[in-house]
Each structure stands twice: as structure tokens, then as C-alpha cells.
């Protein structure tokens, strides 16, 4: 998820771009944990509102009747006609029936049947807040007087529609009709009446449809009867004029042509057979070999017998020749007998040849005659072919008109028949009964929805709050905004932190020195935060102060850093507290330290540590007094403090801080002190720091946790007069318990309690 967090106008002036981040699941869960109290509060608010609604809402009762759409009930009265039959039901057909249920025609029938125009629940004042608002606006431009009967009917229809629902039950052909009313018996009565009105409307619609269809079909049948008769009459006249006769559905000439063609084929086969027989006989006679002709070809029993005798004698001769030899007397006698059989067979074949020649000539003559007949019939058929096309058109027209007449006549009979059967496709399968429990309000559902909505809305608002929150909340944000080293966190002071005198004596030292310090710097509970580093030397706060010191010392290894300014973007970010504790911590270690209250707008250090001071920095810079006369020094820590006393607000504070006198003063103090720590005015609203930034060796940026905007911190850190001299940044006023929700910080090495 990408979120855009807008920076304030100061960020744009400082060159900071809009931040686009990607929040992972862990960060989102952390946001929800941090905002859990807010989310719970929003959820409880919505649950409370829902509970109030559930307690005071008007109870509503819903009754339901069920009808089923079954077109198969009318199949016993229907044949193949589809004039009044419903199409196959699908989802669209069911939805169409539902819309018919919701039509004004059905609803108005219910209103009239039950006289709902006299029922206050339908024509009385509305209890719906939206309807009340509409009626109120309407009454401004209209009259409040009761409407006419037509107006009351329309109001009743609208009210009934508002409480009526029809929907398909699953994937079945069943439709549930439900109605909601304040009275259980009325809810069931109206639900059943809606179903009956729908079925009655279906019957009326079907009767009206079949009546109209019958009237139209009756007129159409008369027209079709005349057209069919006229077409048949034209067909018969055409046949008579052109002498076109038909037999078995075919033209007479066409039938004769087919018969002649069939006879020609038979004649051609017979001619071919006779020709083949004649050629076999001639071959056998000319060659003198009876074996050249077959008995099947001749189909003559005498020839077949003679041929078989001849063949048997040939076999006998072959056997005798092999056994006795060709010259044996028996063999020669058998050869003579075969020769006689051959002579007789050839004589018989010559007589049959004459007969077969006559049969062949007769077959050829018959074939030629058939060919001539076919040529004549083909010519006749070609002559009638053009008339046949026109004949087909006339026949087609006659058949079409007759078929259309028969179809219309069948539909007319069906339509007349259905007018006498008051049967509908829809029927009631479950009657509505008075409900025992209210259907509204649904308390568990409303409360659960309110809880879920409250949690969701609270989480969304909490997420938006976090996204739009531009304040420093964790170490990463501060480091990214300053582009410098992070020096640590300074926890906010808690009520458990010790302040009593025994603790101070133990931590600071001797009672006499404590008294002297108390007299000098006015140690009280009101400014106890300025002494936290001494009161709690082993705490996270003290460790961060020491880390600031180490950071300064490390920087001093590479360059001369004596004058350190504590800066912040805005006022009230803990800059003065950090300055005081840093000075005390360094001075406690034996270094020569001078603190200067450089905030000429709001000298908080001076008011808190030396409220009795009469002169200070301004007097030294103007030459009215010397530094030694106004400096305060603690005998216990040797900490020196140069206050700022404002008898009146200077008109141009930058002129003092950026003056040559200030430069000479800091140069002189840099020779005498190891550290010169200056508490400055906030960088954002005033120009004081810019005025004398060239006199500062190093800056420490202070930002308040959960208070300072990231854009403001970035604007200060990226300022050209601070950026190159920035030693690091500190996060102040940190609530450690809440900080754990935004970042992790190991406190296992620290304690807020005193140690021996």
C-alpha cells in the first residue's frame, strides 16, 4: 500500500519533497496497536448507536408464500403449436415473471381487493426517515390536505411495493413472495393475496391473448382458403392446356422414356448374348473343333449330349493310347468312333448356326426400333421441359397455400380450445402464515455489523491519522529528516523521578555545596528538569547527554569546536532543558563550561536558574557592564552561566547576536572556557540563529517526540548555515511506554533509580 504524507508549507520552502512510502504488514499492525484505544472507542460508539436503534426500532414481521412456474401443466392441451405456449424457462424467463409480480397491475389489484387505501399503514404518515424528509420538503411547495382516491391508491401502491419482495429460490422455478408489515396476520394476508392476484392476472392475460389470436386467425383462415383454392385451380388449368398428364407423380412422357430406356438396356444385353453364341458356333464349325463351343452358350440339350460323348471318347482314346499305343486296333477303332461323333456334332452345329443367325438379326432389329422410340420420347420430353418449370412453380404455390391453411386451421382450433381451460402456468405451493418472530430489527446482525463497521472505520481513521501525522515518532524519521548522526533520546520526566534533598545530597555532594548551588541556581521542583543529569546519572537521559558530549569531543579531534549552539525548529521542544543538563554534565567532569542564554525572545534558562539576575548578555554586548560582573558560577560543578535579562523586548535581536561585540565576546570566552554552550531561540519563527550562525562552531538539533513536524526538522537541518556544522540530533520529551509502539530502544543497561 502506498500513502502520500504531505509536508507543511515550511517543508516546501526548505526543499523537502512529498514522502511516498510503502507500509508493510508489520508497520500496519503496529499502527493498529498504537491506535487500538481510538479504534475501540469508535467501535463502541457505533455499537451503542446500533443498540439504541435496536431498542427503539419499530418491529416488522415478514411472511412469505411460494409459487412455482410449471409450463408442463398445459401440455395435455397443447399439440405442436407454439402460439400461446410459453418458451422453455430459463433465468431470463423467471426474472420476467418476477417483474410481472412487481408490476403496478398486480399491486393495484391487491390494493383494490384488500381496500388498502383505508389502511393507515399504507396511506398514513410514513415512519421511514427518508420518506419523512421527502414529505416535509413536498409539503413546503404543496398542500397538506388529504389527496383524492387516485392519490391514495398511488400512495398505497408505493407503500406496498416498498415492503414487498419477490425473488427466485435458488436455481429452481420457484419464486418466493414476501411482505413485511407491523402486524403478522396482515403480512401473511397480503403475501397470499399478491400470489392470487398474480395467478389471476396470468389467467386474464392468457384468455385475452387467445381471444385476440382466435379473432385474427379466423380472418386469416378465410384469406388462406381462397388463396389455396385459387392456386390449385391455376395448376389444373395449366395441365389441361398443355396436355400434361401424370402417373405415379411423374409426367406421362417422362414415364414412357424411362420404360423405353429400360427395354433398350434389356435388348442390348440380349443382342450381345446372341452375338456371342453365334460367334462361338461359327468358330467351332470353321475350325472343325467341337470343343470351341460351350453347352452353356448354346443352351441346347442335344448339342450338350453330343459334346459330352465326344469329350468322353477323347478321354478314352487318351487312356488307350497310353496303355496300348496309338496303333493298336482298339485304339484305332475308338478314334474312328470319335471321328463319327465329331461329324455328327458339326452337322448339328451348322443347323443351329442358321437358327442363331436369325435370332441375332431379330434382336438387332428390336434394339434399333427401341433406339428410335427413345429418340422420339427425348424430343417430346425436351419440348415439355420448359412447361415443367412453370408447372413446378404452380404446384409449389398450391402446396404452400394448402399447408399454411392447414397450420393456421390447427392453431385456430387450439386457440379456441384453450379459451375454455382457465389454467395458469403458476400455482401456489406454500401459503404464507403469520410469522411468530419479527424479521426486523435483526439485533445480532445489526450489532455485529455496527461492530465490524466501527472497527473498520476506526482502523481507517487511525491509519489516516498516522499517515497524515507528520510529527517525529521514531529514530528513523529523525535520522532521515536531519541526515545527521542520531545522538539519543531524552525521556520525559515522570512523577517517580527522585527530587528530595537526601537524593540530591547523595548524587551532588556535600550539604554546604548543595546549599550554595541551590542559592545560586534556585533548585526547585519547578526547574528540576534542568538538573536531571545530576539527579539520575545512570538513566537513559544522562546517557544521551554523555553521548552528546562524546560527539562534540570526537568532532574536536578534527577541528576546533568550542562554541556549541542548541537549536530547535520551534519553541517548547526541550532545548533549554537539554542545554542545562549538557552544561552540568560536562562541568561535572571537570571541564570549564560556560552556558549562555542566547534566547533574546524568551530567556527560559535565566528565569529558571537565575530569576534574581539584574544584568546579563545584552548589557555586556552594549558595554554597560563587564562579563565578570554578570556571570554566575556554581561552586559545586564550576559551571558558569551568562544570563539574559530583558527589561524590555529588543527591537532587533539579530543585531545584537550577529554584532562584532558578540564575535569579540565569543573569541575571548573561547580562550578561557573549554566549552561555550548557547541556548538559542527557535530557528523556525525568528532569525536569531541565522544572524550569528557564523560565530558557532557546532550545532546540536533538538526535536520533541510526537510534537515536532518532520518537515520543520528537515528545514532546520538542511539550512545552509547549519547543515555543515550539525553535530547530530536528539529526540526529547519521549514517552518511553508509547515510544515502544513506534520504535525499539534497549533500556536494559539503564535505571531510573539511584545507585550506591
Amino acid at each position: 500500500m502506498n500513502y502520500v504524507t504531505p509536508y507543511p508549507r515550511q517543508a516546501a520552502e526548505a526543499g523537502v519533497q512529498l514522502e511516498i512510502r510503502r507500509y508493510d504488514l508489520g508497520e500496519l499492525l503496529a499502527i493498529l496497536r498504537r491506535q487500538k484505544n481510538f479504534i475501540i472507542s469508535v467501535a463502541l460508539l457505533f455499537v451503542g448507536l446500533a443498540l439504541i436503534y435496536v431498542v427503539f426500532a419499530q418491529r416488522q414481521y415478514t411472511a412469505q408464500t411460494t409459487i412455482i412456474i410449471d409450463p408442463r401443466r398445459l401440455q395435455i392441451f397443447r399439440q405442436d403449436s407454439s402460439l400461446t405456449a410459453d418458451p422453455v424457462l430459463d433465468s431470463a424467463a423467471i426474472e420476467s415473471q418476477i417483474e410481472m409480480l412487481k408490476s403496478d397491475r398486480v399491486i393495484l389489484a391487491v390494493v383494490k381487493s384488500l381496500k388498502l387505501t383505508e389502511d393507515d399503514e399504507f396511506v398514513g404518515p410514513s415512519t421511514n426517515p427518508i420518506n419523512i424528509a421527502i414529505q416535509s420538503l413536498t409539503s413546503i411547495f404543496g398542500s397538506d390536505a388529504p389527496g383524492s382516491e387516485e392519490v391514495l391508491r398511488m400512495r398505497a401502491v408505493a407503500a406496498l411495493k416498498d415492503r414487498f419482495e419477490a425473488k427466485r429460490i435458488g436455481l429452481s422455478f420457484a419464486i418466493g413472495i414476501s411482505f413485511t408489515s407491523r402486524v403478522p396476520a396482515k403480512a401473511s394476508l397480503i403475501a397470499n393475496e399478491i400470489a392470487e392476484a398474480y395467478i389471476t392476472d396470468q389467467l386474464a392475460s392468457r384468455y385475452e391473448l387467445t381471444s385476440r389470436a382466435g379473432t385474427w386467425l379466423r380472418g386469416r383462415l378465410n384469406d388462406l382458403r381462397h388463396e389455396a383454392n385459387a392456386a390449385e385451380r391455376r395448376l389444373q388449368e395449366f395441365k389441361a392446356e398443355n396436355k400434361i398428364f401424370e402417373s405415379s407423380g411423374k409426367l406421362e412422357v417422362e414415364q414412357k422414356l424411362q420404360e423405353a430406356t429400360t427395354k433398350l438396356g434389356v435388348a442390348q444385353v440380349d443382342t450381345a448374348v446372341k452375338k456371342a453364341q453365334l460367334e462361338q458356333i461359327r468358330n467351332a464349325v470353321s475350325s472343325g473343333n467341337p470343343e470351341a463351343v460351350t453347352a452353356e452358350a448354346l443352351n441346347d440339350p442335344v448339342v450338350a449330349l453330343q459334346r459330352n460323348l465326344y469329350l468322353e471318347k477323347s478321354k478314352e482314346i487318351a487312356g488307350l493310347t497310353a496303355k496300348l499305343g496309338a496303333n493298336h486296333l482298339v485304339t484305332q477303332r475308338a478314334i474312328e468312333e470319335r471321328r463319327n461323333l465329331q461329324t455328327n456334332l458339326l452337322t448339328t452345329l451348322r443347323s443351329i448356326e442358321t437358327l442363331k443367325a436369325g435370332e441375332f438379326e431379330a434382336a438387332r432389329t428390336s434394339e434399333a426400333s427401341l433406339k428410335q422410340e427413345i429418340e422420339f420420347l427425348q424430343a417430346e420430353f425436351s419440348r415439355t421441359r420448359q412447361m415443367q418449370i412453370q408447372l413446378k412453380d404452380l404446384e409449389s404455390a398450391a402446396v404452400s397455400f394448402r399447408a399454411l391453411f392447414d397450420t393456421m386451421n390447427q392453431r385456430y382450433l387450439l386457440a379456441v380450445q384453450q379459451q375454455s381451460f382457465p389454467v395458469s402456468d403458476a400455482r401456489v405451493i406454500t401459503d404464507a402464515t403469520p410469522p411468530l418472530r419479527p424479521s426486523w430489527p435483526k439485533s445480532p446482525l445489526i450489532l455485529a455489523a455496527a461492530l465490524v463497521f466501527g472497527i473498520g472505520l476506526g482502523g481507517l481513521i487511525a491509519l489516516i491519522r498516522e499517515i497524515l501525522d507528520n510529527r517525529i515518532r521514531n529514530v528513523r524519521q529523525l535520522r532521515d529528516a536531519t541526515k545527521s548522526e542520531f545522538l539519543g533520546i531524552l525521556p520525559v520526566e515522570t512523577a517517580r523521578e527522585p527530587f528530595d534533598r537526601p537524593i540530591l545530597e547523595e548524587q551532588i555532594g556535600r550539604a554546604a555545596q548543595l546549599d550554595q548551588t541551590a542559592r545560586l541556581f534556585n533548585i526547585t521542583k519547578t526547574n528540576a528538569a534542568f538538573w536531571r543529569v545530576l539527579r539520575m546519572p545512570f538513566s537513559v537521559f544522562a546517557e544521551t547527554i554523555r553521548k552528546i558530549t562524546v560527539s562534540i569531543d570526537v568532532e574536536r579531534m578534527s577541528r576546533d569546536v568550542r562554541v556549541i549552539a542548541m537549536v530547535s525548529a520551534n519553541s517548547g521542544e526541550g532545548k533549554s532543558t537539554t542545554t542545562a543538563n549538557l552544561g552540568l554534565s560536562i562541568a561535572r567532569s571537570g571541564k570549564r563550561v560556560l552556558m549562555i542564554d542566547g534566547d533574546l525572545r524568551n530567556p527560559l534558562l535565566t528565569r529558571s536558574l537565575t530569576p534574581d539576575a539584574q544584568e546579563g548578555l545584552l548589557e555586556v554586548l552594549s558595554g554597560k557592564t563587564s562579563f565578570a560582573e554578570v556571570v554566575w558560577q556554581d561552586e559545586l560543578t564550576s559551571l558558569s552561566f551568562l544570563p539574559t535579562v530583558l527589561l524590555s523586548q529588543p527591537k532587533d535581536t539579530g543585531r545584537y547576536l550577529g554584532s562584532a561585540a558578540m564575535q569579540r565576546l565569543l573569541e575571548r570566552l573561547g580562550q578561557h572556557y573549554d566549552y561555550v554552550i548557547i541556548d538559542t531561540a527557535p530557528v523556525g519563527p525568528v532569525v536569531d540563529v541565522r544572524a550569528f550562525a557564523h560565530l558557532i562552531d557546532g550545532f546540536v538539533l533538538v526535536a520533541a517526540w510526537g510534537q515536532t513536524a518532520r518537515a520543520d526538522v528537515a528545514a532546520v537541518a538542511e539550512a545552509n548555515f547549519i547543515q555543515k556544522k550539525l553535530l547530530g540530533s536528539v529526540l526529547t520529551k519521549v514517552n518511553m511506554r508509547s515510544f515502544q509502539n513506534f520504535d525499539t530502544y534497549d533500556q536494559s543497561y539503564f535505571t531510573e533509580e539511584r545507585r550506591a
Side-chain angles (χ1 to χ4, degrees):
M1 299 176 64
N2 291 333
Y3 302 100
V4 178
T5 304
Y7 283 125
R9 180 172 51 85
Q10 295 91 329
E13 295 176 353
V16 180
Q17 302 297 324
L18 294 179
E19 180 186 14
I20 302 178
R21 300 188 53 235
R22 182 179 295 277
Y23 290 85
D24 56 25
L25 181 60
E27 289 179 308
L28 294 177
L29 292 177
I31 291 175
L32 296 179
R33 285 196 302 269
R34 290 195 295 270
Q35 300 287 341
K36 62 181 179 181
N37 293 333
F38 175 79
I39 297 174
I40 293 174
S41 300
V42 175
L44 292 178
L45 173 63
F46 278 93
V47 170
L49 295 176
L51 185 60
I52 294 174
Y53 173 77
V54 167
V55 171
F56 294 99
Q58 175 70 50
R59 297 298 185 265
Q60 301 288 336
Y61 297 86
T62 301
Q64 177 173 310
T65 184
T66 305
I67 65 174
I68 188 167
I69 309 299
D70 187 8
R72 293 174 296 179
R73 297 182 65 198
L74 296 181
Q75 287 182 354
I76 58 174
F77 308 119
R78 296 175 183 167
Q79 301 174 4
D80 296 333
S81 174
S82 59
L83 177 64
T84 58
D86 292 333
V88 178
L89 288 179
D90 55 9
S91 298
I94 296 297
E95 292 298 326
S96 298
Q97 297 299 319
I98 292 175
E99 292 303 319
M100 293 175 63
L101 266 167
K102 297 178 180 179
S103 64
D104 288 348
R105 182 172 175 176
V106 174
I107 301 302
L108 187 58
V110 176
V111 171
K112 293 180 179 179
S113 174
L114 299 179
K115 299 180 180 180
L116 297 183
T117 55
E118 301 174 4
D119 193 332
D120 291 340
E121 185 175 355
F122 295 90
V123 297
S126 176
T127 58
N128 190 323
I130 298 177
N131 291 340
I132 292 175
I134 295 175
Q135 292 175 5
S136 299
L137 293 175
T138 305
S139 64
I140 297 176
F141 303 98
S143 174
D144 294 334
S148 63
E149 183 66 22
E150 183 65 22
V151 173
L152 292 177
R153 277 200 300 269
M154 292 301 100
R155 290 178 61 182
V157 168
L160 195 148
K161 279 188 173 182
D162 187 46
R163 303 180 183 188
F164 156 63
E165 181 181 9
K167 61 181 179 180
R168 185 179 185 181
I169 300 177
L171 299 177
S172 66
F173 293 158
I175 299 176
I177 303 173
S178 59
F179 185 78
T180 302
S181 174
R182 296 196 293 263
V183 182
K186 186 186 298 184
S188 61
L189 174 63
I190 295 178
N192 290 327
E193 187 64 25
I194 292 174
E196 291 299 328
Y198 166 71
I199 294 175
T200 302
D201 182 72
Q202 289 289 89
L203 291 174
S205 299
R206 186 177 302 280
Y207 180 80
E208 182 181 357
L209 175 62
T210 53
S211 297
R212 291 181 179 179
T215 302
W216 180 83
L217 286 173
R218 190 163 48 249
R220 184 58 178 157
L221 279 174
N222 293 329
D223 296 338
L224 289 176
R225 183 182 294 108
H226 294 308
E227 292 177 358
N229 293 336
E232 291 179 355
R233 188 165 50 253
R234 286 192 298 270
L235 175 62
Q236 296 302 326
E237 291 174 353
F238 180 80
K239 287 182 177 180
E241 291 175 358
N242 295 279
K243 299 179 180 181
I244 298 176
F245 304 99
E246 293 182 346
S247 177
S248 301
K250 295 182 180 179
L251 295 175
E252 184 178 4
V253 64
E254 183 181 3
Q255 188 173 3
K256 289 181 178 180
L257 179 60
Q258 290 180 351
E259 292 175 355
T261 302
T262 303
K263 291 179 181 180
L264 177 62
V266 174
Q268 288 176 341
V269 172
D270 184 57
T271 302
V273 170
K274 286 180 171 52
K275 181 180 179 181
Q277 291 176 349
L278 180 60
E279 289 178 353
Q280 286 185 8
I281 293 172
R282 286 177 177 175
N283 290 334
V285 171
S286 61
S287 63
N289 182 14
E291 295 181 2
V293 64
T294 61
E296 291 78 4
L298 295 176
N299 196 16
D300 190 323
V302 176
V303 176
L305 178 61
Q306 291 178 353
R307 186 175 180 277
N308 290 336
L309 292 175
Y310 176 81
L311 294 175
E312 290 177 358
K313 185 59 68 175
S314 296
K315 291 181 181 179
E316 180 182 356
I317 292 171
L320 292 174
T321 302
K323 183 178 181 181
L324 301 177
N327 297 322
H328 193 273
L329 181 62
V330 176
T331 303
Q332 290 296 322
R333 188 182 298 116
I335 291 172
E336 184 63 26
E337 292 176 357
R338 186 181 65 177
R339 186 178 296 111
N340 293 331
L341 290 174
Q342 180 179 5
T343 302
N344 293 333
L345 180 58
L346 290 175
T347 301
T348 303
L349 288 176
R350 289 188 185 95
S351 63
I352 292 175
E353 178 184 1
T354 303
L355 179 61
K356 292 296 182 181
E359 292 179 354
F360 174 67
E361 288 298 329
R364 285 201 307 174
T365 302
S366 177
E367 180 180 352
S369 177
L370 287 174
K371 287 182 178 180
Q372 290 178 357
E373 183 181 358
I374 289 174
E375 291 178 356
F376 173 78
L377 291 175
Q378 286 178 342
E380 186 68 17
F381 181 73
S382 298
R383 184 182 65 81
T384 59
R385 180 172 297 177
Q386 297 298 325
M387 293 185 295
Q388 189 177 13
I389 297 175
Q390 187 175 358
L391 177 64
K392 293 295 183 182
D393 292 339
L394 294 174
E395 289 177 344
S396 177
V399 170
S400 298
F401 279 117
R402 180 57 62 182
L404 184 59
F405 172 77
D406 293 339
T407 301
M408 285 295 180
N409 187 42
Q410 188 177 16
R411 292 186 178 183
Y412 171 72
L413 294 176
L414 181 62
V416 173
Q417 185 183 38
Q418 288 184 351
Q419 292 182 19
S420 60
F421 294 102
V423 181
S424 172
D425 291 349
R427 59 189 175 92
V428 177
I429 60 175
T430 302
D431 290 321
T433 57
L436 301 178
R437 296 181 180 179
S439 59
W440 188 265
K442 298 180 180 179
S443 303
L445 179 62
I446 293 176
L447 294 177
L451 178 62
V452 173
F453 181 78
I455 293 175
L457 181 62
L460 179 62
I461 295 176
L463 186 62
I464 294 175
R465 289 176 60 187
E466 289 277 346
I467 294 173
L468 298 181
D469 186 6
N470 193 34
R471 295 170 294 180
I472 298 292
R473 290 291 187 179
N474 54 46
V475 173
R476 179 188 58 80
Q477 292 174 346
L478 182 60
R479 186 182 291 114
D480 293 345
T482 61
K483 302 296 189 297
S484 64
E485 180 183 3
F486 174 70
L487 301 179
I489 62 175
L490 298 176
V492 66
E493 188 170 6
T494 63
R496 296 183 303 168
E497 294 185 6
F499 180 73
D500 55 326
R501 184 179 180 85
I503 295 297
L504 289 175
E505 289 181 356
E506 180 180 350
Q507 299 293 345
I508 297 178
R510 298 183 301 278
Q513 293 174 326
L514 178 60
D515 290 340
Q516 177 66 19
T517 300
R519 286 194 300 272
L520 285 175
F521 292 110
N522 190 30
I523 302 179
T524 63
K525 287 187 177 182
T526 58
N527 64 357
F530 295 101
W531 305 88
R532 288 182 68 186
V533 69
L534 298 182
R535 292 188 290 112
M536 307 183 68
F538 302 106
S539 63
V540 175
F541 185 94
E543 184 63 23
T544 298
I545 294 297
R546 287 191 285 271
K547 189 173 182 180
I548 297 174
T549 305
V550 172
S551 178
I552 295 172
D553 292 342
V554 169
E555 187 68 19
R556 290 168 66 124
M557 294 179 182
S558 58
R559 63 186 182 92
D560 186 19
V561 180
R562 291 183 179 271
V563 181
I564 300 99
M566 308 298 293
V567 294
S568 66
N570 305 296
S571 60
E573 298 186 13
K575 171 174 50 60
S576 299
T577 302
T578 306
T579 302
N581 283 278
L582 178 62
L584 286 172
S585 177
I586 299 176
R588 181 75 170 172
S589 65
K591 302 293 184 178
R592 295 173 299 170
V593 181
L594 171 65
M595 282 196 316
I596 299 177
D597 190 350
D599 189 351
L600 305 187
R601 312 285 182 140
N602 182 24
L604 179 61
L605 276 179
T606 301
R607 289 198 301 269
S608 300
L609 299 180
T610 58
D612 299 330
Q614 299 297 320
E615 295 178 318
L617 177 62
L618 293 177
E619 287 73 19
V620 173
L621 294 178
S622 61
K624 295 181 180 180
T625 183
S626 63
F627 170 78
E629 293 177 351
V630 297
V631 67
W632 293 63
Q633 186 171 13
D634 176 26
E635 294 183 1
L636 175 63
T637 61
S638 299
L639 173 65
S640 299
F641 176 62
L642 178 59
T644 293
V645 179
L646 297 180
L647 300 179
S648 61
Q649 182 64 46
K651 295 181 179 180
D652 188 0
T653 55
R655 181 173 60 85
Y656 288 97
L657 295 174
S659 62
M662 184 65 175
Q663 182 177 3
R664 291 191 297 269
L665 175 62
L666 292 179
E667 290 176 352
R668 186 170 67 252
L669 295 176
Q671 296 175 0
H672 180 71
Y673 292 97
D674 298 321
Y675 299 86
V676 178
I677 304 174
I678 304 176
D679 183 23
T680 65
V683 177
V686 295
V687 298
D688 292 11
V689 175
R690 181 186 295 270
F692 76 110
H694 60 284
L695 305 177
I696 306 301
D697 298 326
F699 292 94
V700 175
L701 178 59
V702 173
W705 178 81
Q707 177 179 334
T708 308
R710 282 174 279 176
D712 294 347
V713 174
V716 173
E718 294 180 4
N720 53 8
F721 57 91
I722 291 179
Q723 186 178 26
K724 295 181 180 180
K725 299 179 182 180
L726 186 60
L727 303 177
S729 57
V730 180
L731 195 60
T732 65
K733 296 186 176 182
V734 178
N735 186 324
M736 296 303 293
R737 177 174 297 181
S738 300
F739 183 74
Q740 298 300 323
N741 293 326
F742 293 89
D743 210 337
T744 56
Y745 198 88
D746 189 5
Q747 303 182 66
S748 59
Y749 292 96
F750 308 102
T751 177
E752 300 294 340
E753 304 296 335
R754 56 180 177 171
R755 295 185 180 180

